[in-house]
Amino acid sequence: MHWRDWSRQRKLLVVGLLMAIVTELLFAGPFRRFQAERAAQAARRYLAAGDVRSAALSAQRTLDLAPDHVIALEVKALILGGFNDPESVTVWKRVAELTQQRTNWLNALASAIRFRDLNQATNLAIQVETRYPTDPSTLRLLSAYAIVRNQLPAARGYLDRLGKLDPN
């Protein structure tokens, strides 16, 4: 069957479908990114205002649209930690992997120590010590990790290194 033999309705239907597909391909991605960013900023504002429920809902909306959105993951980790949920360790670790920022690696390690997740804490301690061997915050957390592991000589070693870096 040739195009000229098609009815006007069928031609409009095909053109409409093609336009819908092209529109979806061109505009869906940017619009989803816009929605995700807007929801993440709302989550941050809600959390700052103390509205944990709205912050959690906005963060989840963001993560539904963009699973690796750093702001939404940070909000989620803070909320989980506030509710004493050990899943915060996994979320902080993901944030650290995405951002490669010292603060996030330290948050992940602190969370693992807090919840006594020794497997995660061991992996994170290795990561943190390798990346930031002379950072005072790192040495404090590593000494706490060693104490939790009942490795008192190692804890003393970290504290001695800390004393050499920062005599206060």
Side-chain angles (χ1 to χ4, degrees):
M1 185 177 251
H2 195 270
W3 171 259
R4 281 183 243 151
D5 297 333
W6 287 12
S7 68
R8 178 178 162 94
Q9 243 182 342
R10 187 177 280 177
K11 288 177 186 177
L12 286 174
L13 178 65
V14 169
V15 169
L17 284 173
L18 288 174
M19 287 178 58
I21 291 170
V22 168
T23 302
E24 174 71 19
L25 293 174
L26 291 177
F27 299 109
F31 184 66
R32 281 195 189 103
R33 284 191 294 278
F34 168 75
Q35 284 181 313
E37 190 60 35
R38 202 168 129 199
Q41 294 303 327
R44 185 181 272 172
R45 283 192 310 276
Y46 288 134
L47 190 61
D51 186 352
V52 176
R53 182 178 183 277
S54 296
L57 290 172
S58 291
Q60 190 56 53
R61 170 76 175 137
T62 302
L63 294 172
D64 290 343
L65 294 167
D68 287 336
H69 197 285
V70 172
I71 294 171
L73 287 169
E74 286 175 347
V75 169
K76 182 177 180 178
L78 289 167
I79 291 170
L80 290 170
F83 284 107
N84 292 320
D85 189 333
E87 186 186 342
S88 68
V89 176
T90 306
V91 178
W92 274 122
K93 184 177 179 189
R94 185 67 188 136
V95 171
E97 290 168 347
L98 290 170
T99 63
Q100 296 296 316
Q101 292 178 346
R102 180 183 64 86
T103 305
N104 294 325
W105 285 109
L106 296 179
N107 284 335
L109 177 57
S111 188
I113 292 169
R114 175 182 175 195
F115 292 109
R116 302 286 196 265
D117 186 343
L118 298 182
N119 290 331
Q120 285 277 30
T122 300
N123 294 334
L124 289 164
I126 292 167
Q127 290 278 337
V128 167
E129 188 172 16
T130 303
R131 293 169 191 265
Y132 314 104
T134 60
D135 177 61
S137 298
T138 298
L139 295 173
R140 283 186 198 95
L141 270 176
L142 289 172
S143 68
Y145 163 74
I147 290 169
V148 167
R149 296 290 306 222
N150 202 23
Q151 299 171 341
L152 299 181
R156 171 55 65 196
Y158 290 125
L159 292 173
D160 288 343
R161 283 173 48 195
L162 178 62
K164 291 176 186 172
L165 289 174
D166 184 10
N168 298 324

PDB file of all heavy atoms in Angstrom, residues 91-126:
ATOM      1  N   VAL A  91      24.246   4.387  51.650  1.00  0.00           N
ATOM      2  CA  VAL A  91      23.939   5.618  50.912  1.00  0.00           C
ATOM      3  C   VAL A  91      25.121   6.575  50.972  1.00  0.00           C
ATOM      4  O   VAL A  91      25.511   7.157  49.956  1.00  0.00           O
ATOM      5  CB  VAL A  91      22.644   6.268  51.438  1.00  0.00           C
ATOM      6  CG1 VAL A  91      22.355   7.562  50.697  1.00  0.00           C
ATOM      7  CG2 VAL A  91      21.469   5.308  51.301  1.00  0.00           C
ATOM      8  N   TRP A  92      25.736   6.741  52.159  1.00  0.00           N
ATOM      9  CA  TRP A  92      26.910   7.619  52.250  1.00  0.00           C
ATOM     10  C   TRP A  92      28.053   7.097  51.377  1.00  0.00           C
ATOM     11  O   TRP A  92      28.772   7.872  50.750  1.00  0.00           O
ATOM     12  CB  TRP A  92      27.390   7.763  53.691  1.00  0.00           C
ATOM     13  CG  TRP A  92      26.698   8.822  54.471  1.00  0.00           C
ATOM     14  CD1 TRP A  92      26.010   8.671  55.632  1.00  0.00           C
ATOM     15  CD2 TRP A  92      26.613  10.221  54.151  1.00  0.00           C
ATOM     16  NE1 TRP A  92      25.496   9.879  56.046  1.00  0.00           N
ATOM     17  CE2 TRP A  92      25.859  10.846  55.155  1.00  0.00           C
ATOM     18  CE3 TRP A  92      27.103  11.000  53.104  1.00  0.00           C
ATOM     19  CZ2 TRP A  92      25.590  12.216  55.156  1.00  0.00           C
ATOM     20  CZ3 TRP A  92      26.824  12.360  53.096  1.00  0.00           C
ATOM     21  CH2 TRP A  92      26.081  12.957  54.116  1.00  0.00           C
ATOM     22  N   LYS A  93      28.211   5.780  51.343  1.00  0.00           N
ATOM     23  CA  LYS A  93      29.270   5.203  50.506  1.00  0.00           C
ATOM     24  C   LYS A  93      29.016   5.528  49.029  1.00  0.00           C
ATOM     25  O   LYS A  93      29.943   5.874  48.295  1.00  0.00           O
ATOM     26  CB  LYS A  93      29.370   3.693  50.717  1.00  0.00           C
ATOM     27  CG  LYS A  93      30.513   3.077  49.954  1.00  0.00           C
ATOM     28  CD  LYS A  93      30.643   1.600  50.239  1.00  0.00           C
ATOM     29  CE  LYS A  93      31.791   1.023  49.430  1.00  0.00           C
ATOM     30  NZ  LYS A  93      31.835  -0.428  49.493  1.00  0.00           N
ATOM     31  N   ARG A  94      27.780   5.438  48.617  1.00  0.00           N
ATOM     32  CA  ARG A  94      27.443   5.767  47.218  1.00  0.00           C
ATOM     33  C   ARG A  94      27.717   7.231  46.929  1.00  0.00           C
ATOM     34  O   ARG A  94      28.253   7.576  45.873  1.00  0.00           O
ATOM     35  CB  ARG A  94      25.971   5.429  46.935  1.00  0.00           C
ATOM     36  CG  ARG A  94      25.582   5.636  45.502  1.00  0.00           C
ATOM     37  CD  ARG A  94      26.297   4.654  44.595  1.00  0.00           C
ATOM     38  NE  ARG A  94      26.052   4.985  43.209  1.00  0.00           N
ATOM     39  CZ  ARG A  94      26.972   5.005  42.263  1.00  0.00           C
ATOM     40  NH1 ARG A  94      28.213   4.665  42.534  1.00  0.00           N
ATOM     41  NH2 ARG A  94      26.673   5.336  41.046  1.00  0.00           N
ATOM     42  N   VAL A  95      27.362   8.123  47.864  1.00  0.00           N
ATOM     43  CA  VAL A  95      27.645   9.555  47.697  1.00  0.00           C
ATOM     44  C   VAL A  95      29.149   9.768  47.563  1.00  0.00           C
ATOM     45  O   VAL A  95      29.614  10.517  46.704  1.00  0.00           O
ATOM     46  CB  VAL A  95      27.075  10.383  48.867  1.00  0.00           C
ATOM     47  CG1 VAL A  95      27.546  11.820  48.804  1.00  0.00           C
ATOM     48  CG2 VAL A  95      25.553  10.325  48.868  1.00  0.00           C
ATOM     49  N   ALA A  96      29.919   9.097  48.410  1.00  0.00           N
ATOM     50  CA  ALA A  96      31.379   9.240  48.364  1.00  0.00           C
ATOM     51  C   ALA A  96      31.941   8.752  47.032  1.00  0.00           C
ATOM     52  O   ALA A  96      32.820   9.390  46.448  1.00  0.00           O
ATOM     53  CB  ALA A  96      32.013   8.472  49.521  1.00  0.00           C
ATOM     54  N   GLU A  97      31.429   7.647  46.545  1.00  0.00           N
ATOM     55  CA  GLU A  97      31.899   7.122  45.251  1.00  0.00           C
ATOM     56  C   GLU A  97      31.580   8.084  44.114  1.00  0.00           C
ATOM     57  O   GLU A  97      32.381   8.249  43.197  1.00  0.00           O
ATOM     58  CB  GLU A  97      31.259   5.762  44.979  1.00  0.00           C
ATOM     59  CG  GLU A  97      31.767   4.663  45.876  1.00  0.00           C
ATOM     60  CD  GLU A  97      30.938   3.391  45.814  1.00  0.00           C
ATOM     61  OE1 GLU A  97      29.806   3.428  45.251  1.00  0.00           O
ATOM     62  OE2 GLU A  97      31.402   2.363  46.318  1.00  0.00           O
ATOM     63  N   LEU A  98      30.418   8.713  44.185  1.00  0.00           N
ATOM     64  CA  LEU A  98      30.027   9.634  43.118  1.00  0.00           C
ATOM     65  C   LEU A  98      30.800  10.948  43.165  1.00  0.00           C
ATOM     66  O   LEU A  98      31.173  11.484  42.125  1.00  0.00           O
ATOM     67  CB  LEU A  98      28.518   9.925  43.195  1.00  0.00           C
ATOM     68  CG  LEU A  98      27.593   8.777  42.832  1.00  0.00           C
ATOM     69  CD1 LEU A  98      26.156   9.120  43.176  1.00  0.00           C
ATOM     70  CD2 LEU A  98      27.715   8.436  41.355  1.00  0.00           C
ATOM     71  N   THR A  99      31.016  11.476  44.360  1.00  0.00           N
ATOM     72  CA  THR A  99      31.631  12.804  44.479  1.00  0.00           C
ATOM     73  C   THR A  99      33.140  12.763  44.656  1.00  0.00           C
ATOM     74  O   THR A  99      33.815  13.728  44.317  1.00  0.00           O
ATOM     75  CB  THR A  99      31.048  13.577  45.675  1.00  0.00           C
ATOM     76  OG1 THR A  99      31.368  12.880  46.882  1.00  0.00           O
ATOM     77  CG2 THR A  99      29.553  13.757  45.528  1.00  0.00           C
ATOM     78  N   GLN A 100      33.647  11.674  45.221  1.00  0.00           N
ATOM     79  CA  GLN A 100      35.072  11.549  45.539  1.00  0.00           C
ATOM     80  C   GLN A 100      35.538  12.684  46.461  1.00  0.00           C
ATOM     81  O   GLN A 100      36.683  13.120  46.375  1.00  0.00           O
ATOM     82  CB  GLN A 100      35.919  11.514  44.255  1.00  0.00           C
ATOM     83  CG  GLN A 100      35.653  10.326  43.366  1.00  0.00           C
ATOM     84  CD  GLN A 100      36.030   9.007  44.030  1.00  0.00           C
ATOM     85  OE1 GLN A 100      37.076   8.889  44.649  1.00  0.00           O
ATOM     86  NE2 GLN A 100      35.149   8.025  43.924  1.00  0.00           N
ATOM     87  N   GLN A 101      34.666  13.132  47.337  1.00  0.00           N
ATOM     88  CA  GLN A 101      35.010  14.206  48.270  1.00  0.00           C
ATOM     89  C   GLN A 101      35.339  13.624  49.640  1.00  0.00           C
ATOM     90  O   GLN A 101      34.660  12.709  50.120  1.00  0.00           O
ATOM     91  CB  GLN A 101      33.866  15.208  48.402  1.00  0.00           C
ATOM     92  CG  GLN A 101      33.641  16.011  47.146  1.00  0.00           C
ATOM     93  CD  GLN A 101      32.465  16.965  47.285  1.00  0.00           C
ATOM     94  OE1 GLN A 101      31.665  16.856  48.199  1.00  0.00           O
ATOM     95  NE2 GLN A 101      32.367  17.888  46.348  1.00  0.00           N
ATOM     96  N   ARG A 102      36.340  14.195  50.283  1.00  0.00           N
ATOM     97  CA  ARG A 102      36.816  13.726  51.584  1.00  0.00           C
ATOM     98  C   ARG A 102      35.688  13.675  52.610  1.00  0.00           C
ATOM     99  O   ARG A 102      35.524  12.682  53.328  1.00  0.00           O
ATOM    100  CB  ARG A 102      37.946  14.635  52.085  1.00  0.00           C
ATOM    101  CG  ARG A 102      38.501  14.234  53.431  1.00  0.00           C
ATOM    102  CD  ARG A 102      39.557  15.224  53.908  1.00  0.00           C
ATOM    103  NE  ARG A 102      39.013  16.548  54.125  1.00  0.00           N
ATOM    104  CZ  ARG A 102      38.440  16.941  55.272  1.00  0.00           C
ATOM    105  NH1 ARG A 102      38.355  16.128  56.279  1.00  0.00           N
ATOM    106  NH2 ARG A 102      37.960  18.168  55.391  1.00  0.00           N
ATOM    107  N   THR A 103      34.906  14.736  52.678  1.00  0.00           N
ATOM    108  CA  THR A 103      33.828  14.803  53.673  1.00  0.00           C
ATOM    109  C   THR A 103      32.868  13.625  53.536  1.00  0.00           C
ATOM    110  O   THR A 103      32.441  13.050  54.547  1.00  0.00           O
ATOM    111  CB  THR A 103      33.048  16.123  53.517  1.00  0.00           C
ATOM    112  OG1 THR A 103      33.956  17.204  53.592  1.00  0.00           O
ATOM    113  CG2 THR A 103      31.987  16.263  54.570  1.00  0.00           C
ATOM    114  N   ASN A 104      32.539  13.261  52.332  1.00  0.00           N
ATOM    115  CA  ASN A 104      31.595  12.161  52.125  1.00  0.00           C
ATOM    116  C   ASN A 104      32.213  10.811  52.470  1.00  0.00           C
ATOM    117  O   ASN A 104      31.531   9.934  53.006  1.00  0.00           O
ATOM    118  CB  ASN A 104      31.043  12.189  50.708  1.00  0.00           C
ATOM    119  CG  ASN A 104      30.190  13.414  50.474  1.00  0.00           C
ATOM    120  OD1 ASN A 104      29.485  13.870  51.372  1.00  0.00           O
ATOM    121  ND2 ASN A 104      30.257  13.970  49.292  1.00  0.00           N
ATOM    122  N   TRP A 105      33.506  10.622  52.180  1.00  0.00           N
ATOM    123  CA  TRP A 105      34.178   9.388  52.599  1.00  0.00           C
ATOM    124  C   TRP A 105      34.187   9.293  54.121  1.00  0.00           C
ATOM    125  O   TRP A 105      33.939   8.229  54.694  1.00  0.00           O
ATOM    126  CB  TRP A 105      35.600   9.320  52.061  1.00  0.00           C
ATOM    127  CG  TRP A 105      35.681   8.991  50.614  1.00  0.00           C
ATOM    128  CD1 TRP A 105      36.039   9.829  49.595  1.00  0.00           C
ATOM    129  CD2 TRP A 105      35.394   7.731  49.991  1.00  0.00           C
ATOM    130  NE1 TRP A 105      35.973   9.166  48.387  1.00  0.00           N
ATOM    131  CE2 TRP A 105      35.592   7.873  48.601  1.00  0.00           C
ATOM    132  CE3 TRP A 105      34.984   6.490  50.484  1.00  0.00           C
ATOM    133  CZ2 TRP A 105      35.400   6.836  47.702  1.00  0.00           C
ATOM    134  CZ3 TRP A 105      34.799   5.448  49.587  1.00  0.00           C
ATOM    135  CH2 TRP A 105      34.995   5.631  48.209  1.00  0.00           C
ATOM    136  N   LEU A 106      34.446  10.423  54.785  1.00  0.00           N
ATOM    137  CA  LEU A 106      34.459  10.426  56.251  1.00  0.00           C
ATOM    138  C   LEU A 106      33.060  10.184  56.817  1.00  0.00           C
ATOM    139  O   LEU A 106      32.906   9.477  57.829  1.00  0.00           O
ATOM    140  CB  LEU A 106      35.042  11.736  56.775  1.00  0.00           C
ATOM    141  CG  LEU A 106      36.512  11.990  56.425  1.00  0.00           C
ATOM    142  CD1 LEU A 106      36.965  13.327  56.975  1.00  0.00           C
ATOM    143  CD2 LEU A 106      37.406  10.866  56.903  1.00  0.00           C
ATOM    144  N   ASN A 107      32.033  10.749  56.185  1.00  0.00           N
ATOM    145  CA  ASN A 107      30.654  10.487  56.624  1.00  0.00           C
ATOM    146  C   ASN A 107      30.312   9.002  56.496  1.00  0.00           C
ATOM    147  O   ASN A 107      29.647   8.436  57.365  1.00  0.00           O
ATOM    148  CB  ASN A 107      29.659  11.319  55.823  1.00  0.00           C
ATOM    149  CG  ASN A 107      29.624  12.766  56.247  1.00  0.00           C
ATOM    150  OD1 ASN A 107      29.963  13.104  57.374  1.00  0.00           O
ATOM    151  ND2 ASN A 107      29.215  13.640  55.345  1.00  0.00           N
ATOM    152  N   ALA A 108      30.749   8.398  55.407  1.00  0.00           N
ATOM    153  CA  ALA A 108      30.482   6.971  55.209  1.00  0.00           C
ATOM    154  C   ALA A 108      31.182   6.144  56.290  1.00  0.00           C
ATOM    155  O   ALA A 108      30.573   5.240  56.886  1.00  0.00           O
ATOM    156  CB  ALA A 108      30.949   6.536  53.822  1.00  0.00           C
ATOM    157  N   LEU A 109      32.440   6.459  56.571  1.00  0.00           N
ATOM    158  CA  LEU A 109      33.172   5.719  57.600  1.00  0.00           C
ATOM    159  C   LEU A 109      32.553   5.948  58.975  1.00  0.00           C
ATOM    160  O   LEU A 109      32.366   4.997  59.748  1.00  0.00           O
ATOM    161  CB  LEU A 109      34.646   6.120  57.599  1.00  0.00           C
ATOM    162  CG  LEU A 109      35.521   5.462  58.678  1.00  0.00           C
ATOM    163  CD1 LEU A 109      35.461   3.943  58.583  1.00  0.00           C
ATOM    164  CD2 LEU A 109      36.958   5.957  58.562  1.00  0.00           C
ATOM    165  N   ALA A 110      32.224   7.186  59.304  1.00  0.00           N
ATOM    166  CA  ALA A 110      31.610   7.484  60.599  1.00  0.00           C
ATOM    167  C   ALA A 110      30.288   6.744  60.762  1.00  0.00           C
ATOM    168  O   ALA A 110      29.982   6.219  61.836  1.00  0.00           O
ATOM    169  CB  ALA A 110      31.405   8.992  60.750  1.00  0.00           C
ATOM    170  N   SER A 111      29.516   6.680  59.685  1.00  0.00           N
ATOM    171  CA  SER A 111      28.239   5.969  59.731  1.00  0.00           C
ATOM    172  C   SER A 111      28.462   4.473  59.938  1.00  0.00           C
ATOM    173  O   SER A 111      27.756   3.831  60.725  1.00  0.00           O
ATOM    174  CB  SER A 111      27.474   6.243  58.443  1.00  0.00           C
ATOM    175  OG  SER A 111      26.177   5.735  58.497  1.00  0.00           O
ATOM    176  N   ALA A 112      29.446   3.913  59.250  1.00  0.00           N
ATOM    177  CA  ALA A 112      29.749   2.482  59.414  1.00  0.00           C
ATOM    178  C   ALA A 112      30.203   2.185  60.842  1.00  0.00           C
ATOM    179  O   ALA A 112      29.815   1.167  61.430  1.00  0.00           O
ATOM    180  CB  ALA A 112      30.812   2.055  58.414  1.00  0.00           C
ATOM    181  N   ILE A 113      31.012   3.068  61.410  1.00  0.00           N
ATOM    182  CA  ILE A 113      31.446   2.873  62.802  1.00  0.00           C
ATOM    183  C   ILE A 113      30.249   2.981  63.742  1.00  0.00           C
ATOM    184  O   ILE A 113      30.077   2.164  64.648  1.00  0.00           O
ATOM    185  CB  ILE A 113      32.532   3.912  63.171  1.00  0.00           C
ATOM    186  CG1 ILE A 113      33.819   3.633  62.375  1.00  0.00           C
ATOM    187  CG2 ILE A 113      32.814   3.904  64.663  1.00  0.00           C
ATOM    188  CD1 ILE A 113      34.844   4.739  62.457  1.00  0.00           C
ATOM    189  N   ARG A 114      29.420   3.979  63.514  1.00  0.00           N
ATOM    190  CA  ARG A 114      28.248   4.199  64.374  1.00  0.00           C
ATOM    191  C   ARG A 114      27.343   2.981  64.423  1.00  0.00           C
ATOM    192  O   ARG A 114      26.843   2.598  65.476  1.00  0.00           O
ATOM    193  CB  ARG A 114      27.471   5.405  63.854  1.00  0.00           C
ATOM    194  CG  ARG A 114      26.175   5.653  64.577  1.00  0.00           C
ATOM    195  CD  ARG A 114      25.436   6.827  63.968  1.00  0.00           C
ATOM    196  NE  ARG A 114      24.134   6.984  64.586  1.00  0.00           N
ATOM    197  CZ  ARG A 114      23.194   7.721  64.069  1.00  0.00           C
ATOM    198  NH1 ARG A 114      23.396   8.382  62.947  1.00  0.00           N
ATOM    199  NH2 ARG A 114      22.029   7.820  64.675  1.00  0.00           N
ATOM    200  N   PHE A 115      27.113   2.348  63.271  1.00  0.00           N
ATOM    201  CA  PHE A 115      26.201   1.217  63.204  1.00  0.00           C
ATOM    202  C   PHE A 115      26.914  -0.127  63.339  1.00  0.00           C
ATOM    203  O   PHE A 115      26.311  -1.170  63.132  1.00  0.00           O
ATOM    204  CB  PHE A 115      25.374   1.270  61.918  1.00  0.00           C
ATOM    205  CG  PHE A 115      24.417   2.423  61.901  1.00  0.00           C
ATOM    206  CD1 PHE A 115      24.626   3.505  61.070  1.00  0.00           C
ATOM    207  CD2 PHE A 115      23.332   2.437  62.753  1.00  0.00           C
ATOM    208  CE1 PHE A 115      23.753   4.582  61.074  1.00  0.00           C
ATOM    209  CE2 PHE A 115      22.453   3.506  62.767  1.00  0.00           C
ATOM    210  CZ  PHE A 115      22.665   4.581  61.925  1.00  0.00           C
ATOM    211  N   ARG A 116      28.197  -0.078  63.669  1.00  0.00           N
ATOM    212  CA  ARG A 116      28.998  -1.288  63.889  1.00  0.00           C
ATOM    213  C   ARG A 116      28.970  -2.233  62.687  1.00  0.00           C
ATOM    214  O   ARG A 116      28.974  -3.449  62.839  1.00  0.00           O
ATOM    215  CB  ARG A 116      28.539  -2.048  65.137  1.00  0.00           C
ATOM    216  CG  ARG A 116      28.575  -1.274  66.428  1.00  0.00           C
ATOM    217  CD  ARG A 116      30.005  -1.116  66.912  1.00  0.00           C
ATOM    218  NE  ARG A 116      30.081  -0.725  68.313  1.00  0.00           N
ATOM    219  CZ  ARG A 116      30.206   0.524  68.726  1.00  0.00           C
ATOM    220  NH1 ARG A 116      30.227   1.497  67.840  1.00  0.00           N
ATOM    221  NH2 ARG A 116      30.316   0.806  70.001  1.00  0.00           N
ATOM    222  N   ASP A 117      28.930  -1.632  61.494  1.00  0.00           N
ATOM    223  CA  ASP A 117      29.012  -2.417  60.267  1.00  0.00           C
ATOM    224  C   ASP A 117      30.500  -2.592  59.964  1.00  0.00           C
ATOM    225  O   ASP A 117      31.104  -1.821  59.215  1.00  0.00           O
ATOM    226  CB  ASP A 117      28.298  -1.689  59.123  1.00  0.00           C
ATOM    227  CG  ASP A 117      28.220  -2.510  57.858  1.00  0.00           C
ATOM    228  OD1 ASP A 117      28.973  -3.502  57.729  1.00  0.00           O
ATOM    229  OD2 ASP A 117      27.424  -2.150  56.978  1.00  0.00           O
ATOM    230  N   LEU A 118      31.091  -3.611  60.583  1.00  0.00           N
ATOM    231  CA  LEU A 118      32.548  -3.744  60.549  1.00  0.00           C
ATOM    232  C   LEU A 118      33.094  -4.107  59.169  1.00  0.00           C
ATOM    233  O   LEU A 118      34.208  -3.715  58.827  1.00  0.00           O
ATOM    234  CB  LEU A 118      33.004  -4.747  61.605  1.00  0.00           C
ATOM    235  CG  LEU A 118      32.679  -4.334  63.051  1.00  0.00           C
ATOM    236  CD1 LEU A 118      33.209  -5.358  64.035  1.00  0.00           C
ATOM    237  CD2 LEU A 118      33.229  -2.949  63.362  1.00  0.00           C
ATOM    238  N   ASN A 119      32.324  -4.825  58.375  1.00  0.00           N
ATOM    239  CA  ASN A 119      32.794  -5.130  57.014  1.00  0.00           C
ATOM    240  C   ASN A 119      32.909  -3.847  56.187  1.00  0.00           C
ATOM    241  O   ASN A 119      33.929  -3.598  55.540  1.00  0.00           O
ATOM    242  CB  ASN A 119      31.862  -6.120  56.316  1.00  0.00           C
ATOM    243  CG  ASN A 119      31.952  -7.496  56.919  1.00  0.00           C
ATOM    244  OD1 ASN A 119      32.992  -7.887  57.448  1.00  0.00           O
ATOM    245  ND2 ASN A 119      30.862  -8.239  56.864  1.00  0.00           N
ATOM    246  N   GLN A 120      31.840  -3.050  56.205  1.00  0.00           N
ATOM    247  CA  GLN A 120      31.875  -1.769  55.483  1.00  0.00           C
ATOM    248  C   GLN A 120      32.930  -0.848  56.089  1.00  0.00           C
ATOM    249  O   GLN A 120      33.648  -0.159  55.376  1.00  0.00           O
ATOM    250  CB  GLN A 120      30.506  -1.082  55.533  1.00  0.00           C
ATOM    251  CG  GLN A 120      29.474  -1.692  54.643  1.00  0.00           C
ATOM    252  CD  GLN A 120      29.578  -1.197  53.212  1.00  0.00           C
ATOM    253  OE1 GLN A 120      30.641  -0.847  52.713  1.00  0.00           O
ATOM    254  NE2 GLN A 120      28.454  -1.160  52.541  1.00  0.00           N
ATOM    255  N   ALA A 121      33.004  -0.824  57.417  1.00  0.00           N
ATOM    256  CA  ALA A 121      33.969   0.056  58.086  1.00  0.00           C
ATOM    257  C   ALA A 121      35.391  -0.311  57.689  1.00  0.00           C
ATOM    258  O   ALA A 121      36.222   0.578  57.460  1.00  0.00           O
ATOM    259  CB  ALA A 121      33.795  -0.020  59.606  1.00  0.00           C
ATOM    260  N   THR A 122      35.681  -1.594  57.586  1.00  0.00           N
ATOM    261  CA  THR A 122      37.024  -2.021  57.191  1.00  0.00           C
ATOM    262  C   THR A 122      37.344  -1.543  55.776  1.00  0.00           C
ATOM    263  O   THR A 122      38.407  -0.969  55.525  1.00  0.00           O
ATOM    264  CB  THR A 122      37.147  -3.560  57.276  1.00  0.00           C
ATOM    265  OG1 THR A 122      36.896  -3.956  58.625  1.00  0.00           O
ATOM    266  CG2 THR A 122      38.514  -4.035  56.837  1.00  0.00           C
ATOM    267  N   ASN A 123      36.412  -1.762  54.856  1.00  0.00           N
ATOM    268  CA  ASN A 123      36.631  -1.319  53.468  1.00  0.00           C
ATOM    269  C   ASN A 123      36.778   0.196  53.388  1.00  0.00           C
ATOM    270  O   ASN A 123      37.649   0.713  52.680  1.00  0.00           O
ATOM    271  CB  ASN A 123      35.475  -1.777  52.570  1.00  0.00           C
ATOM    272  CG  ASN A 123      35.420  -3.279  52.427  1.00  0.00           C
ATOM    273  OD1 ASN A 123      36.422  -3.956  52.557  1.00  0.00           O
ATOM    274  ND2 ASN A 123      34.234  -3.805  52.183  1.00  0.00           N
ATOM    275  N   LEU A 124      35.928   0.903  54.115  1.00  0.00           N
ATOM    276  CA  LEU A 124      35.978   2.366  54.086  1.00  0.00           C
ATOM    277  C   LEU A 124      37.234   2.892  54.767  1.00  0.00           C
ATOM    278  O   LEU A 124      37.821   3.876  54.316  1.00  0.00           O
ATOM    279  CB  LEU A 124      34.727   2.949  54.734  1.00  0.00           C
ATOM    280  CG  LEU A 124      33.450   2.764  53.919  1.00  0.00           C
ATOM    281  CD1 LEU A 124      32.222   3.011  54.777  1.00  0.00           C
ATOM    282  CD2 LEU A 124      33.460   3.676  52.706  1.00  0.00           C
ATOM    283  N   ALA A 125      37.656   2.245  55.850  1.00  0.00           N
ATOM    284  CA  ALA A 125      38.887   2.672  56.539  1.00  0.00           C
ATOM    285  C   ALA A 125      40.085   2.557  55.600  1.00  0.00           C
ATOM    286  O   ALA A 125      40.948   3.454  55.564  1.00  0.00           O
ATOM    287  CB  ALA A 125      39.107   1.842  57.800  1.00  0.00           C
ATOM    288  N   ILE A 126      40.144   1.496  54.834  1.00  0.00           N
ATOM    289  CA  ILE A 126      41.238   1.333  53.864  1.00  0.00           C
ATOM    290  C   ILE A 126      41.180   2.448  52.821  1.00  0.00           C
ATOM    291  O   ILE A 126      42.201   3.066  52.504  1.00  0.00           O
ATOM    292  CB  ILE A 126      41.162  -0.065  53.204  1.00  0.00           C
ATOM    293  CG1 ILE A 126      41.476  -1.146  54.233  1.00  0.00           C
ATOM    294  CG2 ILE A 126      42.105  -0.145  52.010  1.00  0.00           C
ATOM    295  CD1 ILE A 126      41.136  -2.552  53.779  1.00  0.00           C
TER     296      ILE A 126
END
